[in-house]
């Protein structure tokens, strides 16, 4: 028996609250957002591909070059009746051989060390990409969370303005309020509605930035919570730029060592077997030795160029360390001052504003105060709370810059 459409619709509407209760939207934490962002980051994937490339290249760094197969014909007649015949002349010989360029153990070790340094550099780039993704995601999380909190306060202010305007209109009809009071509250209601629209616009931008990193909109976010702060030493040592410059300097030093080892030329060994018709076959053994006729103008110049690059990398590392130290001290100073401002603002502004609202409410209920005064007190309290939220947001973002910029153990995994 089929259920009539109208009855089914009524049943569905009746079940909506229970369905909503059965499948609530679970709030997202900062750590969950960071994990989602790390899994979907294409920047991290690109950096990992670079590290894989360097790792694969490092496996062959210390290997000898491939041997060379040599096949040929020696002393083949070019003119006369035996022209281009391989079996008529006793000097004609069909030859097959193999040659091998030989690298010393010292050179191979230098090349392997340079390749390993490149792998370490690419590994740091992976860690830096992961750290940057976490930092950007955390900043977007904070912006989205505090935008939502600010919107709640704006909507509260809009609600207050609506209530007080309706009360003023009721008092005006009973001749207990003036038209000026009603007009003032009507204008205040319009201002509060515009403030809500402005914050809603800011929330949309924050939500778009959040979804760019996490992949889902910020339906409901938990407070960021306490963010542990690193020491100056660990911040500078784990700063992505400093870590990258350290690996870059190591790569430059290893490259200079490889170039310096090239001052000694590589020998090439060769052995071949020659076949002749009607005569004894022959075996040839030889070695090719390059002659560095002007090492001071070639090999030494190349080594000097690589050493200059190594010195440049060392200078860049020193400058990056100084910049990271200054960055830490600036951020740490900002965080400390924001903490002081928040404590002072709570006691000097938010608490008196709350007391003012309580006093204005009591005065209005006793018939001695006006609705305008009550609205102004409520508005001042909400504005104080919004300013406090802005300070807390700035503090959280500063702490995130300190906590999530360095390369941490979580990032390296």
């Amino acid at each position: 028996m089929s259920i009539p459409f109208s009855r089914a619709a009524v049943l569905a509407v009746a079940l909506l609250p229970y369905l909503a209760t059965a499948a609530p939207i679970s709030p997202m934490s900062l750590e969950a957002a960071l994990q989602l962002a790390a899994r979907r980051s294409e920047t991290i994937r690109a950096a990992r591909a670079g590290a894989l490339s360097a790792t694969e290249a490092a496996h062959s760094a210390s290997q000898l070059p491939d041997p060379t197969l040599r096949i040929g014909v020696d002393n083949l007649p070019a003119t006369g009746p035996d022209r281009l015949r391989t079996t008529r002349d006793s000097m004609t010989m069909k030859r097959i051989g193999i040659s091998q360029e030989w690298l010393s153990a010292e050179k191979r070790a230098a090349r392997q060390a340079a390749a390993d340094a490149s792998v370490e550099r690419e590994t740091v780039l992976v860690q830096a990409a992961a750290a940057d993704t976490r930092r950007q995601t955390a900043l977007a999380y904070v912006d989205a969370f505090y935008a939502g909190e600010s919107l709640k306060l704006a909507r509260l202010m809009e609600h207050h303005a609506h209530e007080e305007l309706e009360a003023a209109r009721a008092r005006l009809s009973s001749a207990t309020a003036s038209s000026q009071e009603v007009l003032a509250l009507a204008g205040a209601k319009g201002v509060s509605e515009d403030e809500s629209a402005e914050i809603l616009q800011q929330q949309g931008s924050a939500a778009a930035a959040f979804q760019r990193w996490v992949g889902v909109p910020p339906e409901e976010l938990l407070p960021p919570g306490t963010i542990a702060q690193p020491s100056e030493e660990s911040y500078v040592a784990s700063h992505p730029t400093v870590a990258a410059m350290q690996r870059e300097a190591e790569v430059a030093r290893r490259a200079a060592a490889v170039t310096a080892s090239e001052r000694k030329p590589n020998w090439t060994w060769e052995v071949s077997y020659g076949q002749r018709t009607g005569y004894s076959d022959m075996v040839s053994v030889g070695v090719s030795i390059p002659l560095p006729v002007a090492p001071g103008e070639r090999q030494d110049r190349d080594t000097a160029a690589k050493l200059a690059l190594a010195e440049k990398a060392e200078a860049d590392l020193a400058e990056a360390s100084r910049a990271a130290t200054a960055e830490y001290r600036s951020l740490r100073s900002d965080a400390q001052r924001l903490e002081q401002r928040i404590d002072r603002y709570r006691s000097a502004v938010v608490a008196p504003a709350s007391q003012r609202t309580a006093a204005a409410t009591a005065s209005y209920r006793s018939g001695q105060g006006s609705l305008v005064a009550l609205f102004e007190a409520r508005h001042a309290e909400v504005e104080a709370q919004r300013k406090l939220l802005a300070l807390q947001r700035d503090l959280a973002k500063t702490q995130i810059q300190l906590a999530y910029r360095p390369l941490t153990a979580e990032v390296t995994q």
Side-chain angles (χ1 to χ4, degrees):
M1 178 178 180
S2 61
I3 301 176
F5 175 79
S6 58
R7 183 180 176 186
V10 172
L11 182 61
V13 171
L15 289 176
L16 280 178
Y18 299 96
L19 294 175
T21 304
I25 298 176
S26 58
M28 180 180 294
S29 66
L30 174 58
E31 188 59 35
L34 296 177
Q35 293 175 1
L36 286 175
R39 284 198 294 266
R40 70 187 302 270
S41 173
E42 294 297 326
T43 304
I44 298 177
R45 187 166 75 93
R48 284 174 177 165
L52 178 61
S53 174
T55 301
E56 294 296 332
H59 288 320
S60 61
S62 62
Q63 302 296 319
L64 290 173
D66 290 333
T68 301
L69 178 65
R70 299 183 181 277
I71 301 176
V73 178
D74 296 335
N75 303 321
L76 182 67
T79 61
D82 296 333
R83 179 176 179 268
L84 302 181
R85 295 185 180 182
T86 61
T87 60
R88 301 296 295 270
D89 195 294
S90 62
M91 294 185 63
T92 301
M93 180 172 59
K94 291 176 284 188
R95 172 178 47 82
I96 182 170
I98 190 169
S99 65
Q100 173 68 63
E101 182 182 8
W102 180 260
L103 275 68
S104 65
E106 178 185 356
K107 284 188 176 183
R108 283 183 284 166
R111 293 187 180 188
Q112 186 63 59
D116 291 341
S118 296
V119 172
E120 293 177 359
R121 178 184 60 187
E122 294 298 326
T123 302
V124 166
L125 294 181
V126 175
Q127 298 170 5
D132 184 68
T133 297
R134 288 169 59 87
R135 182 174 61 88
Q136 297 287 357
T137 303
L139 291 174
Y141 185 99
V142 167
D143 283 336
F145 172 78
Y146 281 101
E149 296 299 306
S150 296
L151 183 61
K152 291 177 183 179
L153 290 177
R155 291 279 170 80
L156 177 62
M157 191 67 249
E158 187 178 345
H159 177 70
H160 288 167
H162 177 75
E163 283 185 340
E164 286 149 8
L165 177 60
E166 294 299 321
R169 286 173 177 170
R171 293 182 60 186
L172 180 63
S173 62
S174 62
T176 57
S178 64
S179 60
Q180 293 182 350
E181 186 178 43
V182 174
L183 291 174
L185 291 173
K189 180 176 179 292
V191 171
S192 63
E193 290 174 348
D194 182 70
E195 289 177 349
S196 296
E198 180 183 4
I199 296 176
L200 189 61
Q201 179 181 352
Q202 296 173 358
Q203 187 190 35
S205 299
F210 179 86
Q211 191 167 0
R212 176 255 183 272
W213 292 102
V214 181
V216 295
E219 297 292 343
E220 185 178 354
L221 303 179
L222 295 174
T226 303
I227 302 174
Q229 302 299 289
S231 64
E232 178 178 329
E233 182 180 359
S234 62
Y235 181 89
V236 174
S238 302
H239 194 280
T241 305
V242 174
M245 287 295 101
Q246 287 176 339
R247 301 305 185 274
E248 197 68 41
E250 183 65 17
V251 169
R253 287 192 293 267
R254 297 300 183 182
V258 171
T259 304
S261 69
E262 296 297 332
R263 199 175 193 278
K264 298 178 180 179
N266 300 330
W267 292 20
T268 301
W269 303 93
E270 180 179 359
V271 60
S272 62
Y273 182 87
Q275 183 184 51
R276 297 191 300 171
T277 302
Y279 295 91
S280 300
D281 295 340
M282 295 185 177
V283 175
S284 299
V285 178
V287 59
S288 299
I289 305 175
L291 300 177
V293 295
E297 296 299 324
R298 294 182 183 176
Q299 289 84 358
D300 291 350
R301 294 287 185 181
D302 292 341
T303 302
K306 296 297 184 181
L307 289 174
L309 291 178
E311 184 178 358
K312 175 182 179 298
E314 292 286 353
D316 289 340
L317 172 59
E319 189 62 33
S321 298
R322 293 177 184 177
T325 301
E327 182 179 84
Y328 175 86
R329 293 175 180 176
S330 176
L331 290 171
R332 187 58 185 159
S333 176
D334 290 345
Q336 291 174 346
R337 293 183 183 278
L338 284 168
E339 289 172 350
Q340 295 170 0
R341 288 180 61 189
I342 288 172
D343 292 339
R344 184 169 57 249
Y345 197 83
R346 277 200 181 101
S347 59
V349 179
V350 176
S354 177
Q355 295 170 2
R356 177 188 174 187
T357 300
T361 302
S363 178
Y364 172 74
R365 289 176 178 174
S366 65
Q368 299 177 357
S370 65
L371 273 174
V372 174
L374 176 59
F375 175 79
E376 290 177 349
R378 284 181 170 181
H379 183 73
E381 181 181 6
V382 172
E383 283 298 318
Q385 292 174 348
R386 287 174 58 182
K387 178 63 178 297
L388 179 62
L389 276 179
L391 291 174
Q392 291 172 335
R393 179 201 61 202
D394 293 344
L395 175 60
K397 294 179 73 172
T398 303
Q399 291 176 337
I400 284 170
Q401 293 282 6
L402 284 168
Y404 289 97
R405 185 178 291 276
L407 309 180
T408 62
E410 295 178 356
V411 174
T412 60
Q413 294 177 354

